[in-house]
Amino acid sequence: DARVTQTPRHKVTEMGQEVTMRCQPILGHNTVFWYRQTMMQGLELLAYFRNRAPLDDSGMPKDRFSAEMPDATLATLKIQPSEPRDSAVYFCASGLVLGRDTEAFFGQGTRLTVV
Amino acid sequence: AQSVTQLGSHVSVSEGALVLLRCNYSSSVPPYLFWYVQYPNQGLQLLLKYTTGATLVKGINGFEAEFKKSETSFHLTKPSAHMSDAAEYFCAVTFMDTGRRALTFGSGTRLQVQP
């Protein structure tokens, strides 16, 4: 049963600490998305990659957030330094985007709490 | 401006009643349209999608949606609600008149099913 795997599922950290969230996309998918979900803003696109190359990271605060795909089986989202306003659920999704069809499969999310 | 709007942040129906969740989009070019469901503490699961072809789309769990270009709508329906349908539902769009192939989500509608 192919699925997107995110680790950790929960993370509590102190303000100022570095946070790294990891995502294993579904094997064979060529596109990885990072979304953030909060009560106030809903689901926001942070960044996405096609064939491991970043295509759009305009939704990401550049001064503290970074996203990478070291290889086809791993995507990472880092926050350094973390702030209380970063508290949210972070979702990774992957998809096989061919032409215009964009069907995304979501992981279970990482619930981040910054105190 | 491109946007996706879900009317009604909360919808309550009785078990066995019709479910209707509304979604409208704003775009100069018909987009690709999706409905996702999110159960508590879970990721998002694809219910159905419209890309091209037949405008009435059937999905999982008895849900269906109809793309109406003249009304710029993609409302989700189910003839008879079950208790297990209680969840949050998100309409999502891939806008075709940009190069971006990421999903833009509506604000979500929480469905309650009363016994």
Side-chain angles (χ1 to χ4, degrees):
Chain A
D1 183 22
R3 63 182 66 190
V4 175
T5 303
Q6 290 186 247
T7 56
R9 287 294 311 277
H10 303 273
K11 177 72 175 179
V12 180
T13 191
E14 292 185 347
M15 183 174 62
Q17 296 298 304
E18 177 178 301
V19 175
T20 299
M21 290 169 271
R22 293 178 174 80
C23 168
Q24 181 177 359
I26 294 173
L27 188 64
H29 282 185
N30 63 355
T31 305
V32 172
F33 307 88
W34 283 104
Y35 284 89
R36 176 170 63 185
Q37 185 177 35
T38 61
M39 290 292 293
M40 294 300 294
Q41 301 297 326
L43 281 155
E44 304 172 279
L45 178 71
L46 295 176
Y48 77 103
F49 294 76
R50 177 76 45 78
N51 297 321
R52 295 177 54 202
L55 286 191
D56 186 345
D57 62 0
S58 59
M60 214 163 59
K62 301 292 192 304
D63 56 338
R64 298 184 300 109
F65 284 60
S66 62
E68 296 180 343
M69 278 202 75
D71 60 61
T73 65
L74 177 64
T76 63
L77 179 66
K78 292 185 180 181
I79 308 174
Q80 168 62 23
S82 57
E83 298 180 1
R85 59 179 169 156
D86 300 329
S87 297
V89 181
Y90 291 81
F91 287 105
C92 174
S94 72
L96 181 60
V97 177
L98 301 174
R100 305 193 299 171
D101 196 348
T102 306
E103 182 174 331
F105 295 81
F106 281 75
Q108 301 274 58
T110 294
R111 182 176 296 275
L112 175 65
T113 303
V114 183
V115 297
Chain B
Q2 298 170 329
S3 64
V4 54
T5 302
Q6 291 184 241
L7 292 176
S9 58
H10 289 82
V11 170
S12 182
V13 301
S14 298
E15 193 173 17
L18 171 72
V19 175
L20 170 61
L21 305 182
R22 300 178 186 273
C23 174
N24 288 86
Y25 67 89
S26 174
S27 176
S28 57
V29 175
Y32 283 7
L33 297 150
F34 305 78
W35 276 99
Y36 281 83
V37 61
Q38 185 179 30
Y39 298 100
N41 300 314
Q42 299 291 318
L44 281 74
Q45 180 183 7
L46 181 68
L47 277 177
L48 49 78
K49 68 176 182 180
Y50 170 78
T51 55
T52 58
T55 56
L56 182 62
V57 181
K58 295 186 184 299
I60 62 172
N61 301 339
F63 284 93
E64 62 183 36
E66 186 171 11
F67 170 57
K68 293 187 177 181
K69 183 179 177 180
S70 62
E71 298 177 9
T72 62
S73 69
F74 190 57
H75 301 331
L76 181 70
T77 60
K78 182 173 181 178
S80 176
H82 295 162
M83 297 296 292
S84 60
D85 294 327
E88 187 146 24
Y89 292 80
F90 292 91
C91 180
V93 172
T94 304
F95 293 108
M96 292 295 115
D97 51 353
T98 69
R100 196 190 226 199
R101 290 296 177 263
L103 295 166
T104 299
F105 284 89
S107 55
T109 298
R110 185 168 298 278
L111 175 66
Q112 289 183 312
V113 182
Q114 307 291 341

